[in-house]
Amino acid sequence: MSPSEPAPLDAREAYRLWASTYDTENPVSVLDQIAVDQLTPDVSQQILLDAGCGTGRRLPSTGAAAPNLAIGIDIVPEMLRAGRKREGESQILAAGDIEALPVSDGICDTAWCRLVMGHLQSIAQSYREFARVCRRQATLVVTDFHPAAAAVGYVRGFHDADGNGHIVRHHVHQVDDHKEAAAAAGFRLDARLDMTVGAAVAPAYELSGKRGEYGDQLGVPLVLALRFVR
């Protein structure tokens, strides 16, 4: 890290500062959404859990394809407050830690854990929690900042409401780390996507003021997406 770069913030402090601008798309969030759309089964008539939901902006709440209940859990109060204006009859937003989910045993048909695992030094307990709250034959979709991107120096970063840039502290977890932790909890890897920078995310570089970085990052995998089943 050069002297001009900010020191990384721990996840709670970072997301507290990020809450007011979190809903603005960026290349990582766009790739995450594309991957999750591809990996998530039909959730209509299901109970869907989004653990580490942020503002809950991704939780589906209307339409024929919406779940019976969508539960969003996040550890940062500022994120939840920013998202409560969208909370509907079929949505619940609640405070909680993905290593100790405030959810009953065996109720979730599908669970998401999106760009959260990298904030944890160890991921074993979070997978055990997903095993606890998921039904048999449930689907778990996990996304993470891609270890290949971290290996070449890319970081998770954002700008707060005042325009100040920040870096979020990140722990690198390889694919095998996820597979081993998931298998120990009773999950089997069913699908993998390596989401690379390409035309689909070019508009996000424009919107986030990173047009100059698009060419440099073209072809770089930014998001790792894994689907597990029980």
Side-chain angles (χ1 to χ4, degrees), residues 31-209:
L31 289 174
D32 168 82
Q33 185 62 48
I34 293 170
V36 172
D37 284 346
Q38 292 184 37
L39 295 179
T40 301
D42 178 6
V43 297
S44 59
Q45 309 306 310
Q46 290 193 356
I47 294 178
L48 169 69
L49 169 67
D50 185 0
C53 68
T55 62
R57 61 179 173 149
R58 303 299 195 193
L59 288 172
S61 60
T62 59
N68 281 345
L69 178 63
I71 304 169
I73 304 295
D74 202 89
I75 202 169
V76 181
E78 288 83 358
M79 282 284 188
L80 295 169
R81 283 198 292 270
R84 284 245 152 77
K85 61 188 176 209
R86 288 190 301 270
E87 195 173 17
E89 291 184 1
S90 62
Q91 278 188 7
I92 296 173
L93 296 181
D97 189 328
I98 70 166
E99 295 185 300
L101 292 164
V103 177
S104 299
D105 295 358
I107 69 165
C108 301
D109 302 288
T110 298
W112 292 338
C113 184
R114 304 172 62 167
L115 301 171
V116 178
M117 293 287 198
H119 301 319
L120 304 175
Q121 195 161 19
S122 171
I123 57 178
Q125 175 58 24
S126 57
Y127 276 106
R128 285 193 290 268
E129 274 295 276
F130 284 116
R132 180 183 65 79
V133 304
C134 284
R135 303 178 191 273
R136 289 292 174 187
Q137 301 183 343
T139 299
L140 170 63
V141 177
V142 174
T143 64
D144 199 358
F145 190 59
H146 205 291
V152 294
Y154 291 107
V155 297
R156 294 287 312 278
F158 68 97
H159 286 85
D160 62 27
D162 296 322
N164 300 311
H166 302 279
I167 295 172
V168 187
R169 184 173 291 110
H170 178 76
H171 301 281
V172 177
H173 304 298
Q174 303 295 332
V175 175
D176 284 347
D177 299 328
H178 285 280
K179 288 174 62 177
E180 290 171 9
F187 289 101
R188 171 179 58 83
L189 181 64
D190 179 59
R192 168 184 172 175
L193 295 174
D194 298 271
M195 306 301 294
T196 61
V197 176
V201 294
Y205 280 84
E206 294 278 350
L207 288 173
S208 57

